[in-house]
Amino acid sequence: MLIVAERFGLSQWILISDDLSPQFLRRIVYSSASHQLSIVYKNETLKDIRDALDAVSRHTRHISQRALETIILQQQQEDERPSVLTTTEMEIVKAIAQGKSTKEIAAERFSSIHTITTHRKNIFRKLGVNTAHEVIKYAFRAGLVDSSEFYI
């Protein structure tokens, strides 16, 4: 849907659904094509559906109150969750985001490469990610690094 919306930049879309995950809603709302996408649940009032249609006719977007509440609730739940990573693991995530290799991290921490590899495996498992790129995205979202510390 986002790809189609980006490809057809002059189009306007209304997403009407029974159930949308908070992650999907956030992705829609924060995407670059989000100004084209309005979101309404099927069981919304007729006024909400009309508001979405009016917004589309004016080339603006309408996000239903329920969708906004879903996004806000999920954000609050994420903020309340304690960090899943240990202090050491967070330091290693920061080093990964700074472009350091496993060997470099091990040398800095006076640890073996195998220890750092184990930490990396635990980090990937705890975060539910498969690549270093996803770990770096987590580091940015968690505030462990800022763009000035990030090396490509």
Side-chain angles (χ1 to χ4, degrees):
M1 179 173 206
L2 290 172
I3 294 169
V4 172
E6 285 180 19
R7 184 164 183 166
F8 299 99
L10 299 176
S11 64
Q12 295 290 314
W13 301 83
I14 298 177
L15 175 60
I16 302 174
S17 180
D18 282 343
D19 187 33
L20 299 170
S21 73
Q23 295 83 7
F24 179 76
L25 284 171
R26 282 175 59 176
R27 187 168 179 202
I28 292 289
V29 169
Y30 298 126
S31 75
S32 61
S34 65
H35 64 280
Q36 300 168 247
L37 301 168
S38 295
I39 302 170
V40 180
Y41 284 92
K42 284 184 179 179
N43 59 356
E44 296 279 352
T45 64
L46 189 56
K47 181 189 178 313
D48 284 326
I49 294 172
R50 283 189 182 134
D51 288 345
L53 290 169
D54 287 341
V56 166
S57 69
R58 293 186 317 271
H59 293 282
T60 60
R61 90 173 160 178
H62 173 82
I63 308 294
S64 73
Q65 186 65 33
R66 181 176 164 201
L68 290 172
E69 288 170 358
T70 302
I71 293 168
I72 291 168
L73 179 64
Q74 192 231 3
Q75 184 64 46
Q76 288 173 341
Q77 289 172 345
E78 283 181 6
D79 291 345
E80 291 171 0
R81 273 188 223 136
S83 177
V84 295
L85 300 178
T86 66
T87 304
T88 301
E89 289 168 341
M90 285 191 277
E91 290 170 2
I92 291 172
V93 166
K94 185 174 180 176
I96 291 169
Q98 291 173 334
K100 296 178 181 169
S101 68
T102 302
K103 189 175 182 179
E104 291 170 323
I105 297 168
E108 283 181 4
R109 298 185 59 78
F110 305 105
S111 299
S112 85
I113 293 173
H114 301 293
T115 301
I116 302 303
T117 301
T118 301
H119 281 303
R120 284 178 63 112
K121 286 179 188 177
N122 290 336
I123 291 165
F124 281 48
R125 180 182 46 79
K126 287 180 179 181
L127 297 179
V129 298
N130 295 315
T131 65
H133 175 72
E134 292 172 304
V135 171
I136 293 167
K137 284 179 17 182
Y138 168 83
F140 278 114
R141 285 194 311 263
L144 297 176
V145 293
D146 63 5
S147 57
S148 65
E149 296 177 295
F150 179 68
Y151 300 107
I152 297 175

